[in-house]
Amino acid sequence: MKAGATPGVGSRNGARTQEGALVYVGSEDGTLHAVEAGTGDRLWAVEGVAETAPTVVDGTVYVGSGSGSVHALDAATGETYWTFNGASGRVTSPTVVYGSVFVGTRDESLYALDAATGEQQWAYATSMEHLSPIYSAPNVADGGVYFGTHHSTSNSWYPSTVHALDARSGDERWVFDEPEEPVDASPVAADGTVYAASLDQTLYAIDADSGAERWRFDEPSDDGFNGAPVVVDDTVYARSWGTNLHALDASTGSRRWTFSELPEPSDAAPTVVDGVAYVDQYAVDTTTGEPEWQFETAAEDFSTPTVFRGTVYVGATDGRLYAVDTGAGSIEWTYDTGSEIRAAPTVARDSAGGHSRGSRVALGTVGHHHGWAGAEPTSAETETATAVPTTVQSADDGSRSTDRGVDAVGSDGGPNVLWLAPAALGLVGLGGAAWALRRRSGDDGGGLEDGSGGDRPSHSEARETTRRTETRTRPAGREPERTGGPPTCPDCGGRNDQNARFCQHCGAGLPIRCPSCGSRLTGDEAFCPACGDPVQ
């Protein structure tokens, strides 16, 4: 057993059920760790790159540091592809959607970077009266970017804001200014509503198109909200800064139940899979709000967890990454990083061409990538016997609605690939040539005011926002494979019907093909690279 791992004590054979999958986690000392999901054995560790939750897309790990840099590393080896040094202070967890990396920063700016090179595509400055850093990871959905601000001086918190931008251009769509205190939690956009939690003890539901308030929920214990809300079906799950986990009606904000046994204040978000909410060391039944189990540990504070193939992966301030069986709550293994873990771990099914999987990505919380369609993680994510849903929301006629997909951000000013919305789940887990159609706009951010942020690190002076150091460029994607045969599952190898979107053997998402020539597509194209025909 390699350094950092301890023997598993769970009832399952993790090495068999998690074969090939890797867990990536950043620790507070800035080290990014890659460990085997089934055993906890370390594959590699790179220092000085990671203090945020990582996101894996097409075999590349994207992660932010505490010094204002964003890094892209090879998921298999930890080798650096590029580093962006244009920001100041801690950056948020990255969100990677259709060739762009979106990060918020302590310098009050939201950046869009080219995922292949790290070059800045655009920057948006919040430009408020007092210091307004961005501590919440941006949420990208339906062509919009949503994030909150931490509006403050050295000794006071001020009314703060939620912003909506155009993902392609960075243009401002609207600003919601009702929160009386900072919005440090990541907003989540679902079914035309943006859910944003604030330290002013309120969870806000905001119309995604207009920015108008739909409803608000006031925390009854007067505790602020500092963790990202989670939306599954018609329920919003929100964890307060205190000891409460609330389940709310997504359309009205009315409370369904409250679980009040959480031991410590935390800014970790819950994660919900197959009718169970996982938060701290608890598993809570989402129907009743009653605990199912609690795993025992001396740790007092936990990260946002992610669930993959029947295992909960969660970091803690004792420096350990825990792998916990979802059924029994038994600890399968722990990995000791030697430093506190506050950022969420992520799981990739494989390092070569792999994408982030698991509940955190499927639910669109913290950081996610272009395969997110807002659906509850089941089947391929958790290896249950249920069918993979196309979305969460049920239509009036009993069919499954498809209005929660993510729009493709156009490349080089091209059109958005709107047809991807109903099929976005088919993108999960795909590699391929996601780098072929990449926009390279060059809007630079302007100078920023100096200030300080209370107990946060001090704000640095204005500086050029486009400076970066590129170590190595991401290799170009492969040409699409010309084939007219039935799609082969990238996970289990099974062959499927020509028009299948999900594997008929294991439920995983299947590759998209050109309707004219049958070439495999990444979902990023408006026109087929092989034959030139439109793919809409």
Side-chain angles (χ1 to χ4, degrees):
M1 185 166 290
K2 297 182 177 65
T6 58
V9 294
S11 58
R12 293 193 300 108
N13 184 344
R16 174 178 60 81
T17 59
Q18 308 288 40
E19 183 177 358
L22 296 172
V23 185
Y24 299 88
V25 65
S27 53
E28 285 292 290
D29 64 0
T31 302
L32 177 63
H33 304 261
V35 302
E36 295 179 4
T39 64
D41 290 348
R42 183 173 64 194
L43 179 65
W44 53 257
V46 177
E47 297 179 353
V49 297
E51 293 179 48
T52 68
T55 299
V56 184
V57 175
D58 199 25
T60 298
V61 185
Y62 299 92
V63 69
S65 76
S67 60
S69 58
V70 182
H71 302 268
L73 303 95
D74 187 294
T77 66
E79 181 181 359
T80 299
Y81 286 132
W82 55 254
T83 297
F84 172 81
N85 288 314
S88 174
R90 193 178 186 121
V91 301
T92 69
S93 298
T95 294
V96 185
V97 176
Y98 297 111
S100 293
V101 181
F102 299 89
V103 292
T105 65
R106 199 186 171 285
D107 65 13
E108 307 174 271
S109 294
L110 193 290
Y111 293 91
L113 311 176
D114 187 292
T117 66
E119 294 177 353
Q120 181 177 305
Q121 295 173 327
W122 52 257
Y124 169 88
T126 56
S127 302
M128 299 176 71
E129 180 182 357
H130 300 287
L131 175 67
S132 299
I134 302 168
Y135 294 126
S136 65
N139 186 277
V140 182
D142 299 320
V145 184
Y146 307 94
F147 64 94
T149 63
H150 181 105
H151 194 32
S152 66
T153 62
S154 59
N155 57 10
S156 298
W157 285 351
Y158 284 86
S160 298
T161 50
V162 179
H163 295 251
L165 311 179
D166 183 273
R168 188 190 328 193
S169 65
D171 293 341
E172 183 180 289
R173 290 182 173 179
W174 49 257
V175 177
F176 180 77
D177 59 5
E178 289 297 317
E180 293 296 318
E181 293 183 6
V183 181
D184 286 349
S186 298
V188 172
D191 296 321
T193 300
V194 178
Y195 301 90
S198 171
L199 290 173
D200 69 359
Q201 298 92 45
T202 304
L203 176 70
Y204 298 90
I206 309 164
D207 185 278
D209 292 328
S210 67
E213 181 179 315
R214 289 186 168 175
W215 54 257
R216 64 175 63 188
F217 172 78
D218 295 320
E219 219 286 334
S221 300
D222 293 329
D223 287 317
F225 288 99
N226 205 29
V230 169
V231 184
V232 177
D233 287 325
D234 59 351
T235 303
V236 182
Y237 301 88
R239 189 250 176 84
S240 74
W241 174 248
T243 61
N244 294 330
L245 173 66
H246 302 285
L248 312 175
D249 185 288
S251 61
T252 66
S254 60
R255 183 169 47 165
R256 291 177 170 168
W257 52 257
T258 296
F259 175 70
S260 301
E261 299 178 21
L262 300 177
E264 297 287 338
S266 173
D267 58 4
T271 191
V272 179
V273 178
D274 291 337
V276 178
Y278 301 92
V279 56
D280 290 357
Q281 70 267 52
Y282 286 92
V284 180
D285 187 290
T286 59
T287 301
T288 64
E290 297 296 324
E292 293 192 349
W293 51 252
Q294 172 187 1
F295 75 88
E296 297 298 327
T297 173
E300 296 181 350
D301 199 3
F302 298 85
S303 73
T304 296
T306 196
V307 179
F308 178 76
R309 289 178 173 173
T311 299
V312 183
Y313 298 96
V314 59
T317 51
D318 64 359
R320 293 184 176 274
L321 174 67
Y322 290 84
V324 182
D325 185 279
T326 58
S330 56
I331 298 175
E332 298 173 354
W333 53 257
T334 66
Y335 169 83
D336 190 359
T337 67
S339 180
E340 292 185 351
I341 302 175
R342 296 185 180 275
T346 195
V347 182
R349 180 161 296 181
D350 63 88
S351 60
H355 287 42
S356 294
R357 301 295 296 269
S359 57
R360 178 174 67 77
V361 172
L363 291 168
T365 59
V366 190
H368 56 273
H369 59 67
H370 62 280
W372 174 58
E376 181 180 3
T378 54
S379 190
E381 309 294 348
T382 59
E383 301 266 315
T384 65
T386 59
V388 179
T390 54
T391 70
V392 177
Q393 186 65 41
S394 296
D396 293 338
D397 60 0
S399 63
R400 304 296 280 178
S401 170
T402 57
D403 61 354
R404 256 179 99 171
V406 182
D407 293 350
V409 177
S411 57
D412 297 326
N416 287 357
V417 190
L418 298 178
W419 63 273
L420 282 172
L425 267 182
L427 298 171
V428 176
L430 297 183
W435 320 108
L437 299 173
R438 179 137 310 100
R439 54 190 164 84
R440 299 182 184 276
S441 58
D443 279 345
D444 296 338
L448 299 166
E449 297 298 322
D450 188 83
S452 93
D455 57 354
R456 305 285 187 173
S458 61
H459 187 55
S460 69
E461 296 180 352
R463 74 277 167 272
E464 182 179 355
T465 60
T466 58
R467 176 171 51 87
R468 67 182 176 86
T469 302
E470 183 176 327
T471 304
R472 183 160 63 92
T473 303
R474 180 71 168 87
R478 298 184 299 272
E479 288 297 315
E481 175 185 343
R482 292 184 61 90
T483 173
T488 300
C489 176
D491 291 332
C492 72
R495 297 179 70 81
N496 295 271
D497 294 339
Q498 184 65 46
N499 296 323
R501 288 294 188 189
F502 301 96
C503 179
Q504 296 161 306
H505 307 280
C506 72
L510 293 175
I512 298 172
R513 295 179 181 272
C514 172
S516 299
C517 70
S519 296
R520 289 187 179 180
L521 305 173
T522 68
D524 214 16
E525 305 93 335
F527 298 89
C528 176
C531 69
D533 285 353
V535 296
Q536 299 188 43

